Amino acid sequence: MPSPSPFPRARTAIAGIATYGLGETPGFSSIELAAKAGLAAVADAGLMLRDVDALFICLPDDFFAGLSFAQYLGLSPRFTDNNRTGGSAFMSHVATAAMMLDQGYIDCALIAYGSNQRSGGGKLATPFKSNPWEAPYRPLFPVSSYALAAARHFHEFGTTRAQLAEVAVAARAWANTNPEAFATGPLSIDDCLSARMISSPLSVRDCCLVTDGAAAIVMTRTDRARTRAKPPVAVLGAAAATWYSAISQADDLTTTAAAESGARAYAMAGIGPHDVDVVQLYDAFTINPILFLEDLGFCPKGEGGRFVSGGRIGPGGDRPINTDGGGLSCAHPGMYGLLALVEVARQLRGEAANQLVRAEIGLAHGNGGTLSSQATVILGGPATI
C-alpha cells in the first residue's frame, strides 16, 4: 500500500476571513447567517463569488447543507463537503481543501458556518436517549460527558474546580476587550465556584455560551493569495482523528484524539508546540483546554490544571489562549471551530482585537461530539511562506 502524499505545507493559504452576527441576531436563519459571513469573506479576499468553485459547509439544521448552500448562493461548485463531525468539522474542511487546491482539483474554497441557536430557542444541555448504554444514567447531552472526563481528571491528577475556573476567568478577561464578544463584565474564581451546578463537577460557568453567529474563510493557492489585498495565512499542517462517538466507549477519559491529530499536524508543519505563538482551543467546557493543552504537548499529561493557573493563559500571561474570549465568553453558535480558525488568522494578519506582539505561527484546534473527534490546523503568517 503506497504511503500518503506529503501535506502541501504553505502551498495553500487563507485569503479571506469574516464573522457575522455573533451574539443575538433574531430574524435570520442559519443558512442566511452563513451566507452573510461567506459573502464577507469572499470580499475580504478581494475575490468575486463566481470565483468560488468548492463549498464546505456544516449547518446545524440541514443535513443537505452542501446542496442548500450552493443553491442559496447561486453557485454550481465542482465540489461540496458537508462533514458532520461537530466542531472539528471545519479543521477537517481545511485539510481537504488544502490538498484539493494543491492538486488543482479546485481553485477557490469557501468554508462557512452559521447558526441561529440562541434566537431559535436552542439550549446547551438536553436529555440524551439515543445511546442505550448511557441513557439509563440520565445524562444531559453533551455536558454530562464532559463532566465525566473532568471528574476522572480530578481523580487521577488532583485537578480542582478552581483550576477549571481559571479557564473561564481568562476567557472572560479576553472577551472584555473584544468588541465582538457576547459575554463581558467581571468574573472571578469565586463567581465560578459558587455558580449553579449543571452536571457535577461542571457548573454553568464551566459551560460555553448559547449564541447566534456565523463565520467563514476563503482558501486558495498561496501564489494566488499573495496577489490579494490582505496578507496570506499559510496552511502549514492539518490533521484529524476520531476515536469513538459515545464517551462510554473511550478507553481513557483523560486523553483525547488531539494527541494524534496534533502530532501529525506538527509533523506536517515541521514544528513543535514550543514554536506556536497563538493558540485557539475549542472550549465548549472548561475541561477542554486543559485536556487539549496536555494532548497537544504544551504541558505533560496531568499538569493542565496547574498550567492554566495564576492567569497564565489570560491577558498578560506567558501562554495566551483563546484571545477572542473563546466559546466560553465570545460566542458559541452551536459550534465554535470556525471561529477559532478566524481568530488565529486575524492574529497572524495583525488584525485581532487583542493583538499579540508576536504572532507568526498559530494553532487552531477543533473538538466534535463528546471529545470524540479532534482536528488540528497549524497556520503561518507571511514570514513562514
Side-chain angles (χ1 to χ4, degrees):
M1 185 174 181
S3 60
S5 300
F7 188 83
R9 184 190 188 279
R11 297 203 294 270
T12 67
I14 295 173
I17 55 177
T19 58
Y20 184 83
L22 301 187
E24 290 182 317
T25 315
F28 286 85
S29 67
S30 296
I31 198 168
E32 288 171 331
L33 291 167
K36 289 282 190 180
L39 292 171
V42 171
D44 184 65
L47 297 168
M48 303 294 289
L49 186 59
R50 63 175 178 267
D51 294 316
V52 175
D53 61 0
L55 292 178
F56 296 79
I57 180 74
C58 178
L59 294 177
D61 49 6
D62 185 353
F63 282 93
F64 295 100
L67 309 181
S68 305
F69 199 50
Q71 177 176 280
Y72 190 91
L73 295 176
L75 295 177
S76 300
R78 297 181 187 179
F79 185 82
T80 60
D81 191 340
N82 187 24
N83 185 325
R84 298 192 68 87
T85 56
S88 62
F90 312 100
M91 285 70 178
S92 294
H93 289 329
V94 170
T96 303
M99 290 183 280
M100 296 183 78
L101 285 163
D102 186 59
Q103 292 298 311
Y105 193 92
I106 59 174
D107 293 320
C108 181
L110 172 60
I111 304 173
Y113 173 73
S115 171
N116 63 350
Q117 184 181 26
R118 185 177 184 87
S119 61
K123 298 179 180 180
L124 175 64
T126 58
F128 186 49
K129 300 179 180 179
S130 63
N131 187 316
W133 307 112
E134 297 179 17
Y137 300 96
R138 302 174 66 187
L140 293 175
F141 180 80
V143 61
S144 293
S145 296
Y146 290 87
L148 187 64
R152 188 64 192 180
H153 207 276
F154 284 19
H155 174 75
E156 287 196 30
F157 305 116
T159 308
T160 66
R161 286 194 63 220
Q163 290 170 338
L164 295 186
E166 293 269 6
V167 176
V169 170
R172 179 61 59 86
W174 288 115
N176 282 337
T177 49
N178 178 10
E180 276 196 316
F182 181 67
T184 58
L187 183 67
S188 68
I189 300 294
D190 286 342
D191 291 335
C192 296
L193 296 179
S194 61
R196 176 171 56 90
M197 192 64 64
I198 302 296
S199 186
S200 181
L202 301 183
S203 77
V204 65
R205 294 301 186 188
D206 294 298
C207 301
C208 65
L209 302 172
V210 175
T211 71
D212 301 331
I217 63 176
V218 171
M219 287 179 60
T220 189
R221 285 179 285 279
T222 302
D223 57 356
R224 186 184 189 190
R226 279 174 160 164
T227 68
R228 303 295 99 194
K230 299 294 182 70
V233 176
V235 180
L236 305 181
T242 298
W243 283 2
Y244 52 82
S245 176
I247 194 76
S248 57
Q249 303 304 304
D251 292 331
D252 180 351
L253 289 169
T254 66
T255 300
T256 74
E260 179 185 338
S261 66
R264 287 195 278 114
Y266 288 138
M268 295 170 184
I271 67 162
H274 59 282
D275 298 306
V276 177
D277 305 308
V278 183
V279 181
Q280 291 291 126
L281 304 175
Y282 198 113
D283 59 342
F285 301 93
T286 52
I287 187 61
N288 292 33
I290 289 174
L291 293 172
F292 300 152
L293 285 167
E294 295 172 352
D295 293 340
L296 293 169
F298 292 101
C299 65
K301 177 55 63 179
E303 291 293 320
R306 286 175 282 278
F307 186 87
V308 302
S309 297
R312 188 177 191 185
I313 63 173
D318 64 357
R319 176 44 84 181
I321 302 292
N322 293 359
T323 51
D324 62 348
L328 290 166
S329 277
C330 177
H332 194 285
M335 291 185 279
Y336 173 75
L338 198 46
L339 291 171
L341 284 161
V342 168
E343 175 63 11
V344 171
R346 283 175 171 169
Q347 288 284 352
L348 298 180
R349 291 192 345 182
E351 300 174 353
N354 296 313
Q355 184 62 47
L356 302 179
V357 174
R358 176 182 171 84
E360 295 181 5
I361 296 178
L363 181 151
H365 182 78
N367 163 73
T370 51
L371 295 172
S372 316
S373 174
Q374 307 297 323
T376 310
V377 172
I378 297 173
L379 301 173
T384 65
I385 298 173

